Every structure is written in structure tokens, then in C-alpha cells.
């Protein structure tokens, strides 16, 4: 059964029937708009779009996987502002021949990932398109905290990471070479594990700047140092290459640090903290902020591997 | 110059440079998320996607026109909840060969339409895609009012319309036949004129249910009567066919009431009000709510022309 068979409104009713609303959803799907709680008179909003062939492949990822990834990319942006995610809305552009079961799986993945972050899918839109496209917008609640932007890092701050680095990129390389294992890496590409709760925690711990690692650690820190007008030096010895990743890198003949420093889409959070601030164990210190410009590793510019990802090149 | 020439970040900086932030924007573009005011601890959210070839044609509409339409479709949903629009975020999926000037025109149209409704464009995402697609999410502020859903209409209520009906559909028919005039109709298709302020006013006037006319008056009232479990009868004599529309209908050999009752995308607001409520002059009473099911015109089912629009059929 395709979505052309059930039609737009049939699809919407099938998909929304699978969604559970959390406590921050005051009015759910089915009207012109949804109503979401915003406890401190402000709402954080972020949007990200995933396009088939560019951001996901249906032969590599299940519909549920794609839902998890699409939600995670947006929810991580909310966490990186220091906010707690509250809601997602989803625009689905789909070829009419798309199986209904795929759309249902996507909805399940979106809802499950949203629930991991404490949010729910409160609305959406479905339209016909030759290109399968998933446009997600996430909302979040700062709960009285100041937003943690990219612009507040100060010389002397420490740089710390919460979450995983390089796992998704390693999984992508594995899949690109035609393999389906190691499973842990492939699964990491299919469904990132995002430390959502670390964003609001960092805000309360006095983080001066924060960003989520979507384009690659060095590339995303590049955005942060540009916004803050500072330099960051990372310490290579503070980064671990897990055994599975090291083994895969050897087998595939690649430098695993290219995954760690250049790979995005794990949606780790990287933040800067003033000297003396007490960090929870989720945060690993990996470098420090100095006067100047740019990102270095042990004092030298990062060169191995792609520094990031430009969506039009 | 194409967007492949300037790259993702070049495009983002060119586009955001054109955006002015209104007072409801507390933190604008350039970070992981934006921060928007939500004065009464709630936010209304709605999303709509426009796909080239399906919802717009570049040979019929300028980039600015498409921006106006994409924003209007979303802002009207916010108004139809009784809320005042505060912000838009925009996901742009674009072929790399798209001229930068087109993206800039789109941004100008989005920003200008948002400003008409009192909102601003606070963020977005740009990705490469073979299919030009514009995914917009709008936020709004109820300012302490209850949301006006589709579900509150009661027998005895009056049905009233604010805004224009059939103009966009008439313009679409004109363009489909290869003509470029009457200009007023074509322009109405390119840039709807939406009575945004009438939504919050209706909420304060005690509207029991409201919806925006995006699929066609009869089709959208069909959603409202389903949600409210009532019937609505419209009075044909309460609908005007403006002279320009009547002339075009004669020239093209079509029934102008098919445009008025079946045409969407003018984003008029239609609402139900309790007996005795005092309406502002923007609202024209066109029918009444009764017990039962379905939408009739002068007691008879509506049959002429398409009843609405299903995006997958």
C-alpha cells in the first residue's frame, strides 16, 4: 500500500495515530497549529532538513533509523543552546509510490527519538515530491537559563566534549565500502546516541559557548571560534579511539583521527567552560581557549581528512 | 552566480544579511537555534512545505512571490488558531545550480510577508536537493487567549469569513490557460492577501472554531464540521463574485463559484461565532451551524468543481 493509495489525509491519520503526546504538548496534531508549553516566556527553535541520497539512503537505513536521525539532528541543536527539547514538527515530502509502512516507520523513529529527549511530535505536513525529504523543526525550553550561544568563549576557558565523536563517520565509511559490520559503527551512523541532557546541564554549569558536532569537531569548533573571536587548541591525547574504531580503521586503511576530528552527525556537544568550573563526568576536557584565531591540534593546524561538510560542494 | 559558487555558508550569510529582526526575536540567525518570545508561556507552531512544480512554478512566480506565498501559508495557520505570528524558520532545499539571486529574492519575500504579520525570519537551513523545496515553520503567541481549534462549533453559531475567496484559484486558472491577465487575479495567486489580524480578533470576539482556507472553503469547512461534529449550511447569496472574477470566468468558460467554494490558497479565515456576538466589519456572515454532518450550500450538497485538494492524488 502506497501513500497515493491512502491519500494525504489517510496518511496523516495513520501517522498521527502512532504519536503519543508528552506533557509539554498542550494541543497536538489535527488543527491548523499545535500549542506547546514555553515555561519561561521564550522558546528556542531550530530547523534541519534531510534529503534522500544526500543525508540518508533507504538501502542503508530503515525508516525508523531515518526518523531517529532526522529528529536527533534537530533535538541536538536545541540541547546545544542549553535548552530542553519540547516538541518537533515534521514536513514530509514523499513520492506518491512511497509505501505507507515506510512513512509509519519514519513516524515511529521520530517519535521514539523525540521521547528520548523528553519531547513529542506535535504536528506536520505531508506533500508529494519526486525527492523524499524530511524537514524537521524542533522547539525547546531554556527553563530560565540564558541561551548558550557560540559567541561567549573566552581565553582561558576549557573545551569539553559530551557524547561520541567519529562513530557515525566510521559507520558511513564502512557502509560506503559495501560492508555491514562492525555493527556498532554502522548502527552509530544509522542512529546517533546524543547526550541531550548534557546541554541544559552545561548551561547550569556556566558554559560560555556551545555547539553540536554535526559537520565535524574541527569544523564546528571553527564556527565557535569565529563567533567568539578566539582560538582553540585541542590535545590529541585527550581523544580516545575505541578498539572497534581502531580495528575498522586498520582494516579499511584509513586514519581513525580523520573520523574523530572530521566526522559529524554523532551530534556530540562541545562547550567551553570558565577555569575552575566543576564539570559532570559526561564532559571530557579536550583542549583550551586562547587569544587568536582558528582551531589547532597540539598547536598545529588540522589537515588530515576533510575538515567538515559543505552541503553544496 | 549559483549557490554552488558561494557554498552553504556563503548562501546563509548572504540571506541572513537581508533579514531584519522584530521585537519578538530575542536571538536571531547564526547559532544552533534562535530564541523567540512567547509571552504567555505557550507557543503555537505550524509547518507547511512548498514543492516546485506542485505548489509553485518559477515561470509563473518570481522568487519574491514564492517567498510571500510560502510565508503566508504558514502565518495563516497561526492566525487561524487565534494567535499573532512571531517567527518563521525556513528550510531551503535547492539544486546547486539555483542562482543566488533567486534565493535572495525568496528571502526578501519571506521576510516581507512575515513583517506584514508582525513576525520575522529567525533561522533556517539550506541543503542541496534535485527538487526545489521550501519548508517553513511558523510560531505564534496567543497572548493569553485560548486557542481557537476546529472543534468548538455549536448548532446555532454563525459562520463568517474574513479575507478573499477564489482569487488565487482564478489566477491559477488564468495562468494555466497561458494568460497573464487580469493582473489582479494573477497577482492574487502569486501573493495572497491574508487578514492575519482577524485571527486574534476573532479569538477575542468569542469565535468557537476557526480554520484557514488553504484547500478550498467547502473542503476546509469539511474539516471543521468533522472536528466539531456539526453541519454547516452556506448561503450562496452571501458570497460576492467580484466583477473582474465574473468577467474572467465568462471569458474562460468556467463557473466562478467553483473558484469561490472550491479554490484554496487565498488563506481567508473562516470561523464560527455564537449567536449575538458582535463581529468587526472584516467578518462577513455567510451561513450557520446546525446539528448533523457535512457542508451544504442553500441546503444542498456542493458538487460543482473540485471540493478540495489532496496532495497525493
Amino acid at each position: 500500500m502506497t501513500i497515493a493509495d491512502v491519500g494525504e489525509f489517510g496518511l496523516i491519520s495513520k501517522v498521527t495515530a502512532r504519536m503519543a503526546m508528552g506533557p509539554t504538548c498542550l494541543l497536538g496534531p489535527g488543527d491548523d497549529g499545535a500549542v506547546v508549553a514555553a515555561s519561561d516566556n521564550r522558546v528556542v527553535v531550530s530547523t534541519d532538513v534531510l534529503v534522500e541520497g544526500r543525508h540518508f539512503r533507504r538501502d542503508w537505513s530503515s525508516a525508523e533509523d531515518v526518523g531517529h536521525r532526522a529528529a536527533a539532528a534537530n533535538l541536538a541543536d536545541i540541547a546545544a543552546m542549553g535548552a530542553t527539547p519540547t516538541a518537533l514538527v515534521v514536513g514530509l515530502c514523499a513520492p506518491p509510490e512511497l509505501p505507507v509502512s515506510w512513512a509509519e516507520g519514519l513516524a515511529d523513529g521520530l517519535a521514539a527519538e523525540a521521547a528520548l529527549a523528553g519531547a513529542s511530535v506535535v504536528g506536520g505536513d505531508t506533500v508529494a515530491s519526486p525527492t523524499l525529504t524530511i524537514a524537521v523543526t524542533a522547539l525547546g525550553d531554556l527553563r530560565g537559563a540564558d541561551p548558550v550561544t557560540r559567541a561567549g568563549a573566552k581565553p582561558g576557558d576549557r573545551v569539553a566534549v559530551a557524547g561520541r565523536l567519529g562513530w557515525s563517520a566510521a559507520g558511513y565509511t564502512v557502509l560506503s565500502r559495501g560492508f555491514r559490520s562492525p555493527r556498532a559503527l554502522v548502527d552509530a551512523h544509522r542512529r546517533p546516541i546524543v547526550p541531550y541532557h548534557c546541554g541544559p546541564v552545561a548551561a547550569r554549569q556556566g558554559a560560555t559557548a556551545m555547539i553540536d558536532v554535526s559537520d565535524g569537531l574541527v569544523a564546528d569548533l571553527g564556527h565557535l571560534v569565529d563567533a567568539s573571536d578566539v582560538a582553540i587548541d585541542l590535545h590529541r591525547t585527550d581523544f580516545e579511539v575505541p578498539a572497534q574504531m581502531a580495528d575498522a580503521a586498520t582494516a579499511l586503511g584509513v586514519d581513525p583521527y580523520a573520523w574523530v576530528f572530521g566526522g559529524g552527525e554523532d551530534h556530540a556537544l562541545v562547550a567551553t567552560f570558565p577555569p575552575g568550573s566543576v564539570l559532570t563526568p559526561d564532559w571530557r576536557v579536550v583542549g583550551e581557549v586562547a587569544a587568536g584565531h582558528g582551531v589547532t591540534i597540539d598547536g598545529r593546524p588540522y589537515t588530515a581528512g576533510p575538515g567538515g561538510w559543505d552541503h553544496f560542494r
Side-chain angles (χ1 to χ4, degrees), chain A:
Chain A
M1 189 168 56
T2 70
I3 58 178
D5 295 328
V6 297
E8 179 185 5
F9 299 110
L11 178 64
I12 290 171
S13 73
K14 277 179 176 293
V15 164
T16 55
R18 305 172 86 87
M19 300 291 183
M21 293 304 125
T24 54
C25 176
L26 307 178
L27 179 70
D31 223 290
D32 291 295
V35 184
V36 177
S39 75
D40 67 359
N41 291 336
R42 298 171 300 171
V43 61
V44 181
V45 58
S46 184
T47 195
D48 255 309
V49 187
L50 274 71
V51 176
E52 183 174 29
R54 187 94 193 166
H55 303 98
F56 66 91
R57 287 174 50 158
R58 273 187 274 171
D59 57 338
W60 284 6
S61 296
S62 71
E64 288 82 355
D65 292 336
V66 176
H68 276 273
R69 281 185 65 198
N74 285 273
L75 296 164
D77 282 325
I78 299 298
M81 298 303 291
T84 301
T86 51
L88 298 181
V89 292
V90 181
L92 171 64
C93 310
E97 64 273 18
L98 188 79
V100 170
S101 59
W102 201 93
E104 290 174 332
L106 177 76
D108 289 347
L110 288 161
E113 189 70 25
L116 287 175
S120 30
V121 181
V122 301
D125 187 29
T126 60
V127 299
S129 171
T131 306
L132 181 59
T133 304
I134 302 144
V136 180
T137 299
L139 304 183
D141 189 338
L142 287 161
R143 297 181 178 176
D146 287 333
V148 184
T149 70
R150 303 174 178 181
K154 300 259 181 312
D157 286 353
R158 293 179 297 167
V159 179
V161 171
R164 311 200 297 185
L165 294 168
W167 287 68
S168 178
Y172 178 87
T173 306
V174 168
L175 289 163
S176 307
R177 302 283 182 92
F179 300 109
R180 289 290 182 275
S181 65
R183 190 60 187 263
L185 300 179
V186 169
D187 284 350
H189 176 70
R190 291 175 172 150
R191 299 189 187 188
I193 297 174
V194 183
Y196 299 114
H197 66 284
C198 293
V201 167
R204 288 196 296 275
Q205 289 170 328
T208 51
M210 184 154 51
I211 191 169
D212 89 297
V213 181
S214 52
D215 294 338
L217 179 66
V218 171
D220 286 311
L221 281 177
H223 302 315
L224 190 150
V225 300
D226 286 349
S228 293
D229 196 21
V230 294
I232 281 178
D233 189 47
L234 301 173
H235 309 146
R236 186 171 164 125
T237 53
D238 289 331
F239 292 87
E240 284 179 8
V241 176
Q244 291 173 94
M245 196 184 292
D247 293 347
T250 304
L252 298 167
V254 302
D255 173 6
Y257 285 99
W259 291 333
V260 170
F261 293 123
E265 301 204 324
D266 289 299
H267 302 294
L269 300 176
V270 56
T272 55
F273 294 92
S277 49
V278 178
L279 305 186
T280 53
D282 290 316
W283 290 93
R284 310 181 307 281
V285 174
V286 296
E288 73 270 316
V289 181
H293 301 287
V295 180
T296 51
I297 299 173
D298 297 332
R300 294 195 297 195
Y302 172 72
T303 48
W309 181 252
D310 184 313
H311 290 184
F312 290 105
R313 286 172 172 163

